[in-house]
Amino acid sequence: MLKLVNLTKQYGDKIAVNRLSLTLQPGVVTGFLGPNGSGKSTTMKMIISLVHPTAGEVIIDGKRYHELTEPTKNIGTLIDPSAINHNLTARQHLALISTAANMDTSRINQMLDMTGLKMVENKKVKSYSLGMKQRLGVATALMSDPDVVILDEPFNGLDVDGIKWLRGLFKQLANSGKTVIVSSHLMGEIQAVADRVVIIGQGKLLADMTMKEMNQKSLSTYVYVETNHLKKMKKLLQDNLANVQELEKGLEVRNLTAKEVGILAYKHQLTLFELKTVQPTLEELFTEITAGKVDYVSRGDEIT
Amino acid sequence: MMHIIKADFKKISYLQGYRNVLLATAVLSILFGMTFLFTTNVTTGKSLSDLSWIEIMDITLLGIDVTTIMFIIFTAYFIANEFASGTIYTSLAITPLRQKYFLCKLLFIAKISILSSIILTCALIFIAYVMITMNNIDGMIWNSALMIKLFGVIIMPMFYSLLSLAGTFYTQTASGGIAFALAVMFTPALIKMFPANVSDVILPIFPEHALHVFTEIHSSVDTGLWLNASVILLLWIAITSILSYWRFNKSDF
Ligand SMILES: Nc1ncnc2c1ncn2[C@@H]1O[C@H](COP(=O)(O)OP(=O)(O)OP(=O)(O)O)[C@@H](O)[C@H]1O
Ligand SMILES: [Mg+2]
């Protein structure tokens, strides 16, 4: 189990991470969200002792990271996909890691296969695209088959196939009982894969809840609809178990897709002026959160 | 700890850049040793056959000075690359204990520099030996005085490499490491320009003086002098290593 206790980092007079306390459970994919400069990377670096906390601590199975005998067996990390010697090939890079950490070399082939780098394993990393480097970074993090996997913005630079692959991989890792922590500054990247979402802003914990809770609150994707008969539409949608909020000119609908809303309107002969799926940006979330509309910090132990 | 050192040796076998520097070190050291040997007419005004066997040894072994400078550069780049490329993230994830990481690098550099300098010293001695026999210079003896000289020659590249390592860890740049090691190496030359009463006090503190205690062939055995020199050299390594480790240990990456 991974526990952050009052974790704080101060650079000069800038507080990068501010009294962050979290417990991260196995079998769960946790999305770690926050805008640029909110302290995501700093938090991740503090977990593996790359950055010394100003206050607070990180406890991994009862120990600090540097007290673990084989730390990479506990935690595998991807901090920066470009932080690789660019004159090495993927295979050489993984071979060096397996030598240094005294790992089983058979994992090298397994990882190259899994990340789809087999074809380019003997090409130098400098010829890799960002997406390929991300894949190699993921391979590095998973080399020692760690219990906890921490990846800093792993979706950056990945194409559609890559994103799909990575999401599948996270699900698979979580299902096999691993703790998966994935950071991002884009809600959309996380929404499809995370079971739990932690949002930080200016180093402070702003929200911590399960995806389910989040969907019930107002943070999730919704359908926006404008029609000639707003009241009637609202009733209709609510009868169909939608969660509806009335706005100035239209309705904010959750639990139903745009298609379902369209069909309902058609069946009841309502005229639609506008029908669209809206994905709130992280910025909108922040305004909402900081405006204090909802209490977004729930008990972290609701996920098992 | 052995695994980490082994991985560093593996790194050299993988990376052509490092292999080339090591190859260049070998070629240049031998080439310079031979150049010094064949230019005695110009430099000392004597031809080879007029020189004593000790002088021929001395001149040829100047090639190790080149080894030393090359190793200062090699060490600085080898260590600094981790900081520059960001591979320090992966390295420290594997070895989060900073003192262990530091010690592994120190042992690796010590190992590779001493190995290289043993090989190159042997090669240079062989060349000197061939010259000595070809020119029918006699009187050469493999005595303990010569052995001590060779000891001094062999440890010189390692000594300055470790200073380069300390400088690199302290500044986390290759240029910092190189500048520091070269400054320690060449400052005595500057100090020699000061009046004798000043330089006589300062010079013995510098490693160059201590290394000379070993590399100069003495007619008599003076254990006190050697002990003194050893302490000076060890202090240089200890103090610079501790300072650079301390700086490295409190760094955030
Ligand atoms: N070494 C450092 N020295 C000074 N300030 C730093 C240092 N590292 C990070 N910071 C500051 O700490 C804050 C948090 O940075 P961090 O990199 O953790 O953010 P992030 O959430 O990962 O952002 P991004 O989405 O851009 O990756 C930023 O304001 C940054 O400027
Ligand atoms: Mg970041």
Side-chain angles (χ1 to χ4, degrees), chain B residues 1-54:
Chain B
M1 207 142 99
M2 288 322 294
H3 302 294
I4 298 157
I5 297 172
K6 198 168 140 198
D8 275 342
F9 275 105
K10 216 173 200 174
K11 206 183 279 171
I12 290 180
S13 76
Y14 287 158
L15 292 167
Q16 205 185 4
Y18 293 138
R19 288 203 309 268
N20 285 346
V21 175
L22 291 181
L23 191 70
T25 304
V27 170
L28 289 177
S29 303
I30 306 254
L31 212 64
F32 271 85
M34 287 169 76
T35 311
F36 294 137
L37 201 54
F38 294 123
T39 50
T40 50
N41 274 328
V42 189
T43 49
T44 64
K46 289 189 205 168
S47 73
L48 257 186
S49 49
D50 297 331
L51 293 170
S52 73
W53 69 272
I54 292 179

Side-chain angles (χ1 to χ4, degrees), chain A residues 225-230 232-233 262 264-266 268-275:
Chain A
V225 58
E226 277 182 27
T227 173
N228 59 337
H229 212 310
L230 225 52
K232 193 176 168 191
M233 187 79 201
L264 265 180
Y266 173 74
H268 293 85
Q269 300 185 333
L270 289 166
T271 311
L272 295 185
F273 304 145
E274 197 165 345
L275 178 65

Side-chain angles (χ1 to χ4, degrees), chain A residues 175-206:
Chain A
N175 286 340
S176 67
K178 297 189 188 303
T179 310
V180 183
I181 305 159
V182 184
S183 81
S184 174
H185 56 268
L186 297 172
M187 188 68 203
E189 286 180 346
I190 294 298
Q191 211 158 18
V193 70
D195 305 301
R196 175 185 178 191
V197 183
V198 170
I199 302 178
I200 60 168
Q202 296 181 328
K204 276 196 210 127
L205 182 69
L206 295 181

Side-chain angles (χ1 to χ4, degrees), chain A residues 9 45 49-50 52 65 99, chain B residues 10 89 93 98 249 252-253:
Chain A
K9 181 67 192 182
K45 285 174 170 180
S49 297
L50 283 176
H52 304 298
Y65 188 75
T99 304
Chain B
K10 216 173 200 174
Y89 294 157
R98 304 264 174 109
N249 190 37
D252 290 325
F253 295 101

Side-chain angles (χ1 to χ4, degrees), chain A residues 48-276:
Chain A
I48 57 166
S49 297
L50 283 176
V51 167
H52 304 298
T54 311
E57 56 185 357
V58 180
I59 306 288
I60 307 132
D61 295 331
K63 288 181 179 165
R64 317 273 185 83
Y65 188 75
H66 62 262
E67 291 166 355
L68 299 164
T69 27
E70 282 180 295
T72 47
K73 287 225 162 66
N74 293 270
I75 301 187
T77 37
L78 165 60
I79 296 291
D80 175 1
S82 296
I84 295 179
N85 193 319
H86 283 57
N87 287 314
L88 290 168
T89 67
R91 173 169 286 281
Q92 289 173 335
H93 167 73
L94 295 178
L96 283 180
I97 284 167
S98 82
T99 304
N102 194 22
M103 294 171 192
D104 185 2
T105 46
S106 69
R107 287 285 289 179
I108 299 174
N109 279 328
Q110 238 174 300
M111 288 301 109
L112 288 170
D113 273 333
M114 186 204 69
T115 49
L117 289 172
K118 201 82 194 172
M119 299 282 284
V120 291
E121 62 168 45
N122 291 319
K123 291 221 164 62
K124 287 187 178 179
V125 173
K126 65 178 159 200
S127 70
Y128 287 14
S129 65
L130 177 56
M132 285 153 89
K133 282 184 216 160
Q134 286 286 18
R135 285 166 183 266
L136 184 53
V138 172
T140 310
L142 297 178
M143 260 299 273
S144 51
D145 195 20
D147 303 330
V148 179
V149 182
I150 298 178
L151 305 152
D152 197 2
E153 314 239 6
F155 292 107
N156 273 0
L158 283 185
D159 56 15
V160 181
D161 275 350
I163 291 175
K164 232 170 156 178
W165 163 74
L166 207 52
R167 283 179 178 157
L169 179 68
F170 293 159
K171 287 275 182 221
Q172 204 183 318
L173 289 169
N175 286 340
S176 67
K178 297 189 188 303
T179 310
V180 183
I181 305 159
V182 184
S183 81
S184 174
H185 56 268
L186 297 172
M187 188 68 203
E189 286 180 346
I190 294 298
Q191 211 158 18
V193 70
D195 305 301
R196 175 185 178 191
V197 183
V198 170
I199 302 178
I200 60 168
Q202 296 181 328
K204 276 196 210 127
L205 182 69
L206 295 181
D208 176 10
M209 64 183 75
T210 64
M211 210 64 216
K212 223 173 168 180
E213 287 177 294
M214 179 136 137
N215 284 337
Q216 283 157 6
K217 289 179 179 161
S218 57
L219 300 180
S220 54
T221 313
Y222 62 89
V223 174
Y224 177 77
V225 58
E226 277 182 27
T227 173
N228 59 337
H229 212 310
L230 225 52
K231 288 274 174 309
K232 193 176 168 191
M233 187 79 201
K234 185 177 176 185
K235 170 118 196 354
L236 201 56
L237 291 166
Q238 279 170 336
D239 290 346
N240 283 277
L241 302 175
N243 180 340
V244 188
Q245 262 199 313
E246 211 173 314
L247 304 178
E248 198 183 332
K249 284 164 82 184
L251 300 171
E252 209 177 286
V253 187
R254 288 191 172 73
N255 285 349
L256 287 181
T257 63
K259 191 176 165 184
E260 288 165 333
V261 174
I263 291 171
L264 265 180
Y266 173 74
K267 277 186 185 163
H268 293 85
Q269 300 185 333
L270 289 166
T271 311
L272 295 185
F273 304 145
E274 197 165 345
L275 178 65
K276 63 181 178 191

Side-chain angles (χ1 to χ4, degrees), chain A residues 11 14 16 35-42 153 185:
Chain A
Y11 287 113
K14 158 115 204 150
N36 294 130
S38 55
K40 303 181 295 292
S41 300
T42 307
E153 314 239 6
H185 56 268

